[in-house]
Amino acid sequence: MRRTYDVVIVGSGAAGLTAALRLAPHVRVAVISKGDMDAGSTNWAQGGIAAVLEATDSVQSHIDDTLVAGAGLCSEEAVRFVVEHGREAIESLIDMGVGFDRNTHEDGYGYHLTREGGHSHRRIIHAADATGRAVQKTLSERVAEEANIDIYTHHVAIDVITNRHLGTKSGKNDMAHGVYVLDTKTGRVMTFSARATILASGGASRVYLYSSNPDASTGDGIAMAWRAGCRVANMEFNQFHPTCLYHPEAKTFLITEAMRGEGAVLRRGDGSRFMPDYDKREELAPRDVVARAIDSEMKRSGEECVWLDITHKDADFIVTHFPTIYRHCLQFGIDITSDRIPVVPAAHYTCGGVKVDEAGRTDLDFLYAIGECAHTGLHGANRMASNSLLECLVYGASAADDILARYCEMPAQSLPRNWDESQVTDSDEEVVVSHNWKELRRFMWDYVGIVRTDKRLERAKRRVDLLSSEIMEYYGNFRVTANLLELRNLVTVADLIVRSALMRKESRGLHYTSDYPDLADDPADTVLVPFGRAVADRVA
């Protein structure tokens, strides 16, 4: 079955929907979503969106804070580009109707702003502690109203269609022609032909055993772009959020950094604080510092968690500012107005990704990557809190604008080969998929986690190679399923992470290795080039 559009977007979060809305007045767009529209990470974001909104703040201050957090690996041009477009992005959301919290004081900016780790000013605009949900809801409603946008939920992208799927040899003019997509409800593979393709599929934190991300965060866009011939960068920088709820009955639930911004402190089991022992910024240090501090305390004491304490604040203030967290914790018998919250670090954000330029262009012509699956240079070695949603909004608009500007030079939709299932059968060993999934996530947590060593990374590499062989053999013999496609992408991403981590012989930002605890004198991005990459270097 074939569908033909001007632009096909893989992903239905903030980045993908921002691009879709920008494109809709001019071209026909398909949005591919793995689950329901709100299944991605945007809907889970709690804290807010960083932008310069107060008169006492400045663009340069936001840039400086981001560069410091990025530990020497940010692209200053990318940081400036995003920060300078921050206010415009926020005002666009306000115009659409996103219900950000208003300021109760007459002076200052009209909306309540909070502060999070690494920021020198209050610049986080939010909707209580469920900002992502408010943004996702508004964008989804707007997309549903657009006649030029068709939404395909419960569809899983398989691969980018390139010249080889047209029966032509890949060369310097290789380009994207759309995507192959599995309809999970019918089991049929569909061909989506398009003049331009946008990957906005989110990050890869589900490659780890413990993650704050939804199940959909399996690195699909990164793996698809890599297989299509695009470079990836800085995959060793995986952010572990310091504070996720620790409870045997709770599936990983994030305790927003905004809570520490409003005065919550971290305590040992005996009630004493420990962050002053690690960093002068205490609980407002960047996430990599706080995560390593918690990891160190847990290993030193043998305790399974530490405790986040905001009980010294007024109960009404806590419930008003953190209603989602209050209600969720109460389900597990934890009243955050009077009880400390048990927390542990968990994989949270993929700072690396598909290498792109300011317009979101990848190495493959007419293939774009935006949001968490992209490496723009904004985050460097460590993402600063609440910069991620801002990046989604800015690059979603930028990619859409570039597509519209280049539309006349794009070739008409092609007719790629249909998906061939003539040599495969239905699997009678689905247990292989579930077993490999569990094994992969376990050894990635054990060997490629918060603190690394060469020995652990080499162990992980051997296991990745073995699993890759098994999974590729399985993929070649059986009809695809959603679980198999996600596992195939996860093992690809795991390989990219391990290879990148082995290449970096220093400790910087989110990559900490006991074998090389010091900073290198000449920091550089870790760039991986796929075998037989089809396109000459375009992205600087």
Side-chain angles (χ1 to χ4, degrees):
M1 183 177 295
R2 188 187 310 276
R3 296 282 187 270
T4 302
Y5 289 90
D6 294 304
V7 182
V8 60
I9 300 173
V10 179
S12 59
L17 297 189
T18 296
L21 288 169
R22 195 94 162 196
L23 292 164
H26 311 284
V27 296
R28 293 190 64 237
V29 180
V31 174
I32 310 297
S33 179
K34 287 174 71 171
D36 294 327
M37 285 286 284
D38 60 359
S41 292
T42 295
N43 195 54
W44 288 40
Q46 294 178 353
I49 308 172
V52 177
L53 302 168
E54 277 270 40
T56 56
D57 197 1
S58 70
V59 166
Q60 191 58 50
S61 177
H62 191 176
I63 291 171
D64 292 343
D65 291 345
T66 302
L67 293 176
V68 169
L73 280 185
C74 293
S75 161
E76 188 165 354
E77 293 78 11
V79 174
R80 183 170 296 277
F81 174 70
V82 172
V83 171
E84 287 182 343
H85 287 83
R87 189 178 189 116
E88 174 189 342
I90 297 301
E91 290 177 348
S92 176
L93 291 178
I94 292 172
D95 290 343
M96 289 185 202
V98 175
F100 294 116
D101 285 7
R102 303 290 302 195
N103 197 337
T104 56
H105 304 290
E106 293 183 2
D107 58 334
Y109 188 64
Y111 292 87
H112 182 266
L113 305 176
T114 190
R115 183 182 171 197
E116 296 181 350
H119 291 276
S120 58
H121 290 79
R122 284 181 172 266
R123 62 169 68 103
I124 316 302
I125 190 168
H126 61 99
D129 60 347
T131 306
R133 186 182 305 163
V135 171
Q136 180 72 46
K137 181 175 183 294
T138 299
L139 292 177
S140 296
E141 289 173 351
R142 288 302 183 102
V143 164
E145 295 170 356
E146 291 287 346
N148 260 0
I149 301 176
D150 290 337
I151 302 167
Y152 294 84
T153 58
H154 301 279
H155 283 65
V156 180
I158 302 172
D159 270 319
V160 176
I161 298 171
T162 62
N163 285 1
R164 66 186 177 88
H165 300 104
L166 307 182
T168 61
K169 292 183 178 180
S170 295
K172 65 179 181 179
N173 295 319
D174 198 7
M175 62 185 65
H177 303 276
V179 285
Y180 290 116
V181 177
L182 172 68
D183 180 343
T184 60
K185 291 185 176 180
T186 65
R188 292 183 300 181
V189 175
M190 305 172 64
T191 302
F192 281 77
S193 296
R195 299 177 72 164
T197 303
I198 300 178
L199 301 176
S201 54
S205 288
R206 277 291 166 184
V207 75
Y208 288 101
L209 182 62
Y210 301 113
S211 171
S212 66
N213 285 196
D215 292 339
S217 299
T218 52
D220 303 339
I222 298 171
M224 289 168 61
W226 174 257
R227 289 192 295 265
C230 299
R231 291 171 295 168
V232 300
N234 288 2
M235 289 299 293
E236 70 271 33
F237 296 118
N238 313 105
Q239 187 173 74
F240 291 81
H241 196 287
T243 53
C244 287
L245 178 63
Y246 178 76
H247 191 281
E249 297 178 13
K251 192 172 182 178
T252 46
F253 178 77
L254 178 68
I255 307 298
T256 176
E257 189 162 347
M259 186 173 284
R260 281 178 281 136
E262 295 296 341
V265 296
L266 288 160
R267 300 189 186 278
R268 302 181 179 97
D270 62 8
S272 62
R273 291 180 64 191
F274 57 85
M275 279 311 302
D277 299 337
Y278 290 89
D279 194 282
K280 64 181 181 181
R281 292 164 291 187
E282 300 177 345
E283 278 76 12
L284 289 179
R287 289 175 176 176
D288 61 319
V289 176
V290 181
R292 280 200 302 274
I294 294 174
D295 183 67
S296 175
E297 287 295 321
M298 290 169 58
K299 287 176 178 174
R300 181 191 60 79
S301 67
E303 294 180 331
E304 295 181 326
C305 64
V306 297
W307 282 264
L308 186 65
D309 185 5
I310 198 171
T311 58
H312 52 282
K313 303 287 283 189
D314 180 77
D316 288 340
F317 173 89
I318 296 171
V319 174
T320 300
H321 282 76
F322 307 106
T324 305
I325 296 174
Y326 174 75
R327 290 192 299 268
H328 190 85
C329 287
L330 210 56
Q331 297 176 18
F332 304 104
I334 303 167
D335 183 346
I336 66 173
T337 65
S338 57
D339 300 328
R340 296 180 298 172
I341 308 170
V343 294
V344 294
H348 182 61
Y349 193 86
T350 306
C351 284
V354 186
K355 196 164 174 58
V356 299
D357 65 9
E358 199 172 89
R361 296 189 193 186
T362 71
D363 287 330
L364 196 65
D365 232 352
F366 309 124
L367 178 67
Y368 296 74
I370 56 177
E372 193 176 349
C373 71
H375 174 263
T376 64
L378 172 66
H379 306 304
N382 182 23
R383 178 181 72 94
M384 192 167 67
S386 292
N387 271 351
S388 53
L389 281 178
L390 180 63
E391 181 185 42
C392 289
L393 301 172
V394 171
Y395 277 91
S398 178
D401 290 345
D402 191 71
I403 289 171
L404 294 176
R406 301 174 68 203
Y407 186 77
C408 291
E409 70 181 76
M410 294 179 178
Q413 295 89 337
S414 58
L415 295 175
R417 293 192 300 262
N418 287 324
W419 188 257
D420 184 6
E421 291 187 328
S422 61
Q423 304 299 314
V424 297
T425 61
D426 290 326
S427 171
D428 58 357
E429 296 181 328
E430 193 69 16
V431 67
V432 174
V433 174
S434 60
H435 175 80
N436 285 356
W437 182 292
K438 292 175 184 176
E439 182 181 350
L440 174 67
R441 296 174 67 204
R442 166 58 73 180
F443 73 66
M444 285 296 290
W445 181 263
D446 290 341
Y447 299 147
V448 200
I450 296 174
V451 178
R452 300 162 178 174
T453 66
D454 278 354
K455 188 175 182 179
R456 292 175 190 167
L457 293 173
E458 287 162 0
R459 286 174 178 167
K461 186 66 173 75
R462 289 193 293 270
R463 284 159 175 77
V464 165
D465 290 345
L466 179 61
L467 279 184
S468 294
S469 177
E470 290 183 1
I471 293 166
M472 292 308 107
E473 179 183 5
Y474 192 95
Y475 177 83
N477 290 322
F478 299 108
R479 288 190 176 89
V480 295
T481 64
N483 286 338
L484 175 58
L485 293 174
E486 289 183 334
L487 178 62
R488 177 189 181 220
N489 292 331
L490 277 176
V491 78
T492 298
V493 168
D495 181 60
L496 296 173
I497 292 172
V498 173
R499 288 168 57 188
S500 299
L502 281 167
M503 290 171 65
R504 186 165 294 280
K505 303 302 183 183
E506 64 165 346
S507 290
R508 183 178 298 275
L510 300 168
H511 173 74
Y512 185 85
T513 168
S514 300
D515 293 327
Y516 308 95
D518 300 321
L519 290 171
D521 294 331
D522 52 347
D525 290 336
T526 304
V527 181
L528 299 180
V529 181
F531 176 75
R533 186 165 62 89
V535 181
D537 291 357
R538 178 185 300 109
V539 183

Coordinates of all heavy atoms in Angstrom, one line a residue, residues 144-191:
A144 N -4.9 18.5 14.5 CA -6.2 17.8 14.2 C -7.1 18.7 13.4 O -8.0 18.2 12.6 CB -6.9 17.3 15.4
E145 N -6.9 20.0 13.5 CA -7.8 21.0 12.8 C -7.3 21.3 11.4 O -8.1 21.9 10.6 CB -7.9 22.3 13.6 CG -8.5 22.2 15.0 CD -8.3 23.4 15.8 OE1 -7.6 24.4 15.3 OE2 -8.9 23.5 16.9
E146 N -6.1 20.9 11.1 CA -5.5 21.2 9.8 C -5.9 20.2 8.7 O -5.6 19.0 8.8 CB -4.0 21.3 9.9 CG -3.5 22.4 10.7 CD -3.6 23.8 10.0 OE1 -3.9 23.7 8.8 OE2 -3.5 24.8 10.6
A147 N -6.5 20.7 7.6 CA -7.0 19.8 6.6 C -5.8 19.2 5.8 O -5.9 18.1 5.2 CB -7.9 20.6 5.6
N148 N -4.7 19.9 5.8 CA -3.5 19.4 5.0 C -2.6 18.4 5.8 O -1.6 18.0 5.3 CB -2.7 20.6 4.6 CG -2.9 21.0 3.2 OD1 -3.7 20.4 2.5 ND2 -2.2 22.0 2.7
I149 N -3.0 18.1 7.0 CA -2.2 17.1 7.8 C -3.0 15.8 8.1 O -4.1 15.9 8.6 CB -1.8 17.7 9.2 CG1 -1.0 19.0 9.0 CG2 -1.0 16.7 10.0 CD1 -0.6 19.7 10.3
D150 N -2.5 14.7 7.7 CA -3.1 13.4 8.0 C -2.2 12.8 9.1 O -1.0 12.7 9.0 CB -3.1 12.5 6.7 CG -4.0 13.0 5.7 OD1 -5.0 13.7 6.0 OD2 -3.9 12.7 4.5
I151 N -2.9 12.2 10.1 CA -2.2 11.6 11.2 C -2.4 10.1 11.2 O -3.5 9.6 11.0 CB -2.8 12.1 12.5 CG1 -2.7 13.7 12.6 CG2 -2.2 11.5 13.7 CD1 -3.5 14.3 13.7
Y152 N -1.3 9.4 11.3 CA -1.3 7.9 11.3 C -0.7 7.4 12.6 O 0.5 7.4 12.9 CB -0.4 7.4 10.2 CG -0.9 7.7 8.8 CD1 -0.6 8.9 8.2 CD2 -1.7 6.8 8.1 CE1 -1.1 9.2 6.9 CE2 -2.2 7.0 6.8 CZ -1.9 8.3 6.2 OH -2.4 8.6 5.0
T153 N -1.7 7.1 13.5 CA -1.3 6.6 14.8 C -1.1 5.1 14.8 O -1.6 4.4 13.9 CB -2.3 6.9 15.9 OG1 -3.6 6.4 15.5 CG2 -2.4 8.4 16.1
H154 N -0.3 4.6 15.7 CA 0.0 3.1 15.8 C 0.7 2.7 14.5 O 0.4 1.6 14.0 CB -1.2 2.3 16.1 CG -1.8 2.7 17.4 ND1 -1.3 2.3 18.6 CD2 -2.8 3.6 17.7 CE1 -2.0 2.8 19.6 NE2 -3.0 3.6 19.1
H155 N 1.6 3.5 14.0 CA 2.4 3.1 12.8 C 3.8 3.3 13.2 O 4.2 4.3 13.7 CB 2.0 4.1 11.6 CG 0.8 3.7 10.9 ND1 -0.5 3.8 11.5 CD2 0.5 3.3 9.6 CE1 -1.4 3.5 10.7 NE2 -0.8 3.1 9.5
V156 N 4.7 2.3 12.9 CA 6.1 2.3 13.2 C 6.9 2.4 12.0 O 6.9 1.6 11.1 CB 6.4 1.1 14.0 CG1 7.9 1.1 14.4 CG2 5.6 0.9 15.3
A157 N 7.8 3.5 11.9 CA 8.7 3.6 10.8 C 9.7 2.6 10.8 O 10.2 2.2 11.9 CB 9.3 5.0 10.8
I158 N 10.0 2.0 9.6 CA 11.0 0.9 9.5 C 12.4 1.5 9.0 O 13.4 1.3 9.7 CB 10.5 -0.2 8.6 CG1 9.2 -0.7 9.1 CG2 11.6 -1.3 8.5 CD1 8.5 -1.7 8.1
D159 N 12.4 2.1 7.9 CA 13.6 2.6 7.3 C 13.3 3.8 6.4 O 12.2 3.9 5.8 CB 14.3 1.5 6.4 CG 15.3 0.7 7.2 OD1 16.0 1.3 8.1 OD2 15.3 -0.5 7.1
V160 N 14.3 4.7 6.2 CA 14.2 5.8 5.2 C 14.3 5.2 3.8 O 15.2 4.3 3.6 CB 15.3 6.8 5.5 CG1 15.3 7.9 4.4 CG2 15.2 7.4 6.9
I161 N 13.5 5.6 2.9 CA 13.6 5.2 1.5 C 14.7 6.0 0.8 O 14.6 7.2 0.8 CB 12.3 5.3 0.8 CG1 11.2 4.4 1.5 CG2 12.4 5.0 -0.7 CD1 9.8 4.7 1.0
T162 N 15.7 5.3 0.3 CA 16.8 6.0 -0.4 C 16.9 5.5 -1.8 O 16.0 4.8 -2.3 CB 18.1 5.7 0.3 OG1 18.4 4.3 0.3 CG2 18.1 6.2 1.8
N163 N 17.9 6.0 -2.5 CA 18.0 5.6 -4.0 C 18.0 4.1 -4.2 O 17.5 3.6 -5.2 CB 19.3 6.3 -4.6 CG 19.1 7.8 -4.8 OD1 18.1 8.3 -4.5 ND2 20.1 8.4 -5.3
R164 N 18.6 3.4 -3.3 CA 18.7 1.9 -3.5 C 17.4 1.3 -3.5 O 17.2 0.2 -4.1 CB 19.6 1.3 -2.4 CG 19.1 1.4 -1.0 CD 20.1 0.8 0.0 NE 19.6 0.9 1.4 CZ 18.9 0.0 2.0 NH1 18.6 -1.1 1.4 NH2 18.6 0.2 3.3
H165 N 16.4 1.9 -2.8 CA 15.0 1.4 -2.9 C 14.3 1.7 -4.2 O 13.2 1.2 -4.4 CB 14.2 1.9 -1.7 CG 14.8 1.5 -0.4 ND1 15.4 2.4 0.4 CD2 14.8 0.3 0.3 CE1 15.8 1.9 1.5 NE2 15.5 0.6 1.5
L166 N 14.9 2.5 -5.0 CA 14.4 2.9 -6.3 C 15.0 2.0 -7.4 O 14.7 2.1 -8.6 CB 14.6 4.3 -6.6 CG 14.2 5.4 -5.6 CD1 14.4 6.8 -6.2 CD2 12.7 5.2 -5.3
G167 N 16.0 1.2 -7.0 CA 16.7 0.4 -8.0 C 17.9 1.1 -8.6 O 18.5 0.6 -9.5
T168 N 18.2 2.3 -8.1 CA 19.4 3.0 -8.6 C 20.5 3.0 -7.6 O 20.3 2.8 -6.4 CB 19.0 4.5 -8.9 OG1 18.6 5.1 -7.6 CG2 17.9 4.6 -9.8
K169 N 21.7 3.1 -8.1 CA 22.9 3.1 -7.2 C 23.0 4.3 -6.4 O 22.8 5.4 -6.9 CB 24.2 2.9 -8.1 CG 24.3 1.5 -8.7 CD 25.6 1.4 -9.5 CE 25.7 0.0 -10.1 NZ 27.0 -0.2 -10.8
S170 N 23.4 4.2 -5.1 CA 23.6 5.3 -4.3 C 24.9 6.0 -4.7 O 25.9 5.4 -5.0 CB 23.8 4.9 -2.8 OG 22.5 4.4 -2.4
G171 N 24.9 7.3 -4.8 CA 26.1 8.1 -5.1 C 26.0 9.4 -4.5 O 25.3 9.6 -3.5
K172 N 26.7 10.4 -5.1 CA 26.7 11.7 -4.4 C 25.3 12.4 -4.4 O 25.1 13.3 -3.7 CB 27.7 12.6 -5.1 CG 27.4 12.9 -6.6 CD 28.5 13.9 -7.1 CE 28.2 14.2 -8.6 NZ 29.2 15.1 -9.1
N173 N 24.4 11.9 -5.3 CA 23.1 12.5 -5.3 C 22.0 11.7 -4.6 O 20.8 11.8 -4.8 CB 22.6 12.6 -6.8 CG 23.5 13.6 -7.5 OD1 23.9 14.7 -7.0 ND2 23.9 13.3 -8.8
D174 N 22.5 10.8 -3.7 CA 21.6 10.0 -2.9 C 20.7 10.9 -2.1 O 21.1 12.0 -1.6 CB 22.3 9.0 -2.0 CG 21.4 7.9 -1.5 OD1 20.3 7.8 -2.0 OD2 21.9 7.1 -0.6
M175 N 19.4 10.5 -1.9 CA 18.5 11.4 -1.2 C 17.4 10.5 -0.6 O 17.2 9.3 -0.9 CB 17.9 12.4 -2.1 CG 17.1 11.8 -3.3 SD 16.5 13.1 -4.5 CE 18.1 13.7 -5.1
A176 N 16.6 11.2 0.3 CA 15.5 10.5 1.0 C 14.2 10.7 0.1 O 14.0 11.7 -0.5 CB 15.3 11.1 2.3
H177 N 13.4 9.6 0.0 CA 12.2 9.6 -0.8 C 11.0 9.2 0.1 O 9.9 8.9 -0.5 CB 12.3 8.6 -1.9 CG 13.5 8.9 -2.8 ND1 13.5 9.8 -3.8 CD2 14.8 8.4 -2.8 CE1 14.7 9.8 -4.4 NE2 15.5 9.0 -3.8
G178 N 11.1 9.3 1.4 CA 10.0 8.9 2.3 C 10.4 7.8 3.2 O 11.6 7.6 3.5
V179 N 9.5 7.0 3.7 CA 9.8 5.9 4.7 C 8.9 4.7 4.5 O 7.7 4.9 4.0 CB 9.6 6.4 6.1 CG1 10.7 7.3 6.6 CG2 8.2 7.1 6.3
Y180 N 9.4 3.6 4.8 CA 8.6 2.4 5.0 C 8.0 2.3 6.4 O 8.7 2.6 7.3 CB 9.4 1.1 4.7 CG 9.8 0.9 3.3 CD1 11.1 0.9 2.9 CD2 8.8 0.7 2.3 CE1 11.5 0.7 1.6 CE2 9.2 0.5 0.9 CZ 10.6 0.5 0.6 OH 10.9 0.4 -0.7
V181 N 6.7 2.0 6.5 CA 6.1 2.1 7.8 C 5.2 0.9 8.1 O 4.5 0.4 7.2 CB 5.2 3.4 7.9 CG1 4.4 3.4 9.2 CG2 6.0 4.6 7.7
L182 N 5.3 0.3 9.3 CA 4.5 -0.8 9.7 C 3.2 -0.3 10.4 O 3.2 0.4 11.3 CB 5.2 -1.7 10.7 CG 4.4 -2.8 11.3 CD1 4.0 -3.9 10.3 CD2 5.2 -3.5 12.5
D183 N 2.0 -0.7 9.8 CA 0.8 -0.5 10.5 C 0.6 -1.6 11.5 O 0.3 -2.7 11.2 CB -0.4 -0.5 9.4 CG -1.7 -0.3 10.0 OD1 -1.9 -0.4 11.3 OD2 -2.7 0.0 9.3
T184 N 0.7 -1.2 12.8 CA 0.7 -2.3 13.8 C -0.6 -2.9 14.0 O -0.7 -4.0 14.6 CB 1.2 -1.7 15.1 OG1 0.4 -0.6 15.6 CG2 2.7 -1.2 15.0
K185 N -1.7 -2.3 13.6 CA -3.0 -2.8 13.8 C -3.3 -3.9 12.7 O -4.0 -4.9 13.0 CB -4.1 -1.7 13.7 CG -4.0 -0.8 14.9 CD -5.2 0.2 14.9 CE -5.1 1.1 16.2 NZ -6.2 2.1 16.2
T186 N -2.8 -3.7 11.5 CA -3.1 -4.7 10.4 C -1.9 -5.6 10.2 O -2.0 -6.6 9.5 CB -3.4 -4.0 9.1 OG1 -2.3 -3.2 8.7 CG2 -4.6 -3.0 9.4
G187 N -0.7 -5.2 10.6 CA 0.5 -5.9 10.3 C 1.1 -5.7 8.9 O 2.1 -6.3 8.5
R188 N 0.5 -4.8 8.1 CA 0.9 -4.5 6.8 C 2.0 -3.4 6.8 O 1.9 -2.5 7.6 CB -0.3 -4.1 5.9 CG -1.3 -5.2 5.6 CD -2.3 -4.7 4.7 NE -3.1 -3.6 5.3 CZ -4.1 -3.0 4.7 NH1 -4.5 -3.4 3.5 NH2 -4.8 -2.0 5.2
V189 N 2.9 -3.5 5.8 CA 3.9 -2.5 5.7 C 3.5 -1.6 4.5 O 3.2 -2.0 3.4 CB 5.3 -3.1 5.4 CG1 6.3 -2.0 5.1 CG2 5.8 -4.0 6.6
M190 N 3.5 -0.3 4.8 CA 3.1 0.7 3.9 C 4.3 1.5 3.4 O 5.3 1.7 4.1 CB 2.0 1.7 4.5 CG 0.8 1.0 5.1 SD -0.2 2.1 6.1 CE -0.8 3.2 4.8
T191 N 4.1 2.1 2.2 CA 5.2 2.9 1.6 C 4.7 4.4 1.6 O 3.7 4.7 1.0 CB 5.5 2.5 0.1 OG1 5.9 1.1 0.1 CG2 6.6 3.4 -0.5

